[in-house]
Amino acid sequence: MPARPADPSPRGHRGSTGRSAPADRRRDADRRFGVRLFASAAVAAVAAVLFGLLLALVESGWGPLRHLDAGAARSLNRTALDHPAWTGTLRFLSHVVWDPVTLRAAVALLTLWLVHRRAWRLATWSAVTAVTGGLIGLLAKAVVERARPSLPDPVAHAPGFSFPSGHAMTAMTSFAILLLVLLPVVRRRLRPLCWAVAGLSVLGTGFTRVALGVHWFSDVVGGWALGLAVVALTGWAFEAWRADAGLGRTDVGEGLEPELGHDDPEGAGARRGTATHRTGTRNGGTTE
């Protein structure tokens, strides 16, 4: 019986469609990348729509929203007056730990560290996201010109307009930057803790502003929504930037630049490391 002729294809095994295995993998990777980019754009769109809806309701003086804002302000103000020690803790968290100056300083230091690590693209993304968020927040305040809560016995005061909350927006953008940059250098088992700390800090920042009577509840939600939209849009742009640079696709759970641990995060060594990481993942391996 004559021997079966060898596969003349130099590319190895081909499927029934005639495509090689590497081509199938690239096509699957491109599909996943497209899904992630679409998801980022969808998050940005939802957040922007939420902010726009809140803005419209605030500007129109919608009754149910005014009732919700006023009720939350009065209730939390009574609690603050009845518990001075608790109020002092809220002031410390709002004016020191989660103050925009503190968070922006943390992002600035992180950006300088990224420059030192020669992670130029990531440093640019960090700086642009932080600055863009701050400027958009100031512009929105100037356009809306919403007055802050006026309570009979205030426990705190703040200058400027109210909508959206600058503290809430800065917390959203700053903790997102810190999280998405630093995840690759954090051990995998500690990453859920990082997500939890970031989430609780963002929520806590918003709560302190309402509890201290310097923002309406809708101001805080508006700040969160606008900050999330900014991060999603700049994150989408960064993912597209990585693809153009040949640095591979990422999962948000791995951070924006998984190669940050390499000596040259965005050089040829990083591209080789990315390829090795993808191969190990396909073979069932994990990184620690």
Side-chain angles (χ1 to χ4, degrees), residues 20 40 42 134 182 192 199 253:
S20 65
S40 297
L182 295 176

Side-chain angles (χ1 to χ4, degrees), residues 67 77 133 164:
H67 179 74
N77 180 247

Side-chain angles (χ1 to χ4, degrees), residues 264-281:
D264 186 7
E266 297 173 0
R271 283 190 286 273
R272 289 194 297 271
T274 301
T276 301
H277 173 78
R278 289 200 300 267
T279 302
T281 302

Side-chain angles (χ1 to χ4, degrees), residues 24-37 249:
D24 288 338
R25 287 196 296 269
R26 284 194 298 272
R27 190 174 67 255
D28 291 341
D30 289 340
R31 186 181 300 113
R32 290 193 297 271
F33 177 57
V35 169
R36 284 193 288 269
L37 286 183
R249 288 81 176 175

Side-chain angles (χ1 to χ4, degrees), residues 39-278:
S40 297
V43 169
V46 170
V49 168
L50 175 60
F51 176 78
L53 177 61
L54 275 172
L55 176 58
L57 296 178
V58 167
E59 290 280 46
S60 66
W62 191 50
L65 182 61
R66 285 192 301 164
H67 179 74
L68 174 63
D69 281 338
R74 287 194 300 266
S75 176
L76 289 172
N77 180 247
R78 286 195 298 267
T79 303
L81 291 171
D82 292 340
H83 301 85
W86 183 68
T87 305
T89 301
L90 293 180
R91 287 198 191 96
F92 174 75
L93 291 173
S94 182
H95 300 161
V96 179
V97 179
W98 295 327
D99 186 78
V101 174
T102 303
L103 298 181
R104 288 168 185 156
V107 171
L109 290 174
L110 176 70
T111 303
L112 291 176
W113 177 74
L114 290 172
V115 170
H116 174 71
R117 295 280 296 112
R118 293 182 295 177
W120 313 112
R121 279 182 289 269
L122 199 55
T124 301
W125 175 81
S126 172
V128 168
T129 302
V131 172
T132 301
L135 292 177
I136 289 178
L138 289 174
L139 178 62
K141 281 179 178 287
V143 169
V144 179
E145 295 185 341
R146 189 187 197 186
R148 292 182 183 271
S150 179
L151 300 168
D153 297 302
V155 297
H157 299 275
F161 296 116
S162 190
F163 184 90
S165 166
H167 276 67
M169 185 174 180
T170 302
M172 176 63 78
T173 55
S174 298
F175 280 104
I177 292 169
L178 293 169
L179 188 67
L180 293 175
V181 168
L182 295 176
L183 275 179
V185 297
V186 175
R187 290 186 179 274
R188 189 175 297 276
R189 63 176 177 269
L190 296 178
R191 290 177 186 176
L193 177 62
C194 294
W195 282 97
V197 169
L200 289 173
S201 296
V202 171
L203 293 174
T205 301
F207 176 77
T208 61
R209 302 307 286 169
V210 180
L212 290 173
V214 293
H215 274 295
W216 305 107
F217 173 74
S218 54
D219 297 339
V220 168
V221 177
W224 287 337
L226 193 55
L228 180 60
V230 169
V231 172
L233 285 171
T234 59
W236 175 86
F238 186 83
E239 281 287 329
W241 199 356
R242 279 179 58 88
D244 290 342
L247 286 171
R249 288 81 176 175
T250 63
D251 189 319
V252 68
E254 302 291 332
L256 282 183
E257 196 151 271
E259 309 85 8
L260 191 58
H262 294 91
D263 291 336
D264 186 7
E266 297 173 0
R271 283 190 286 273
R272 289 194 297 271
T274 301
T276 301
H277 173 78
R278 289 200 300 267

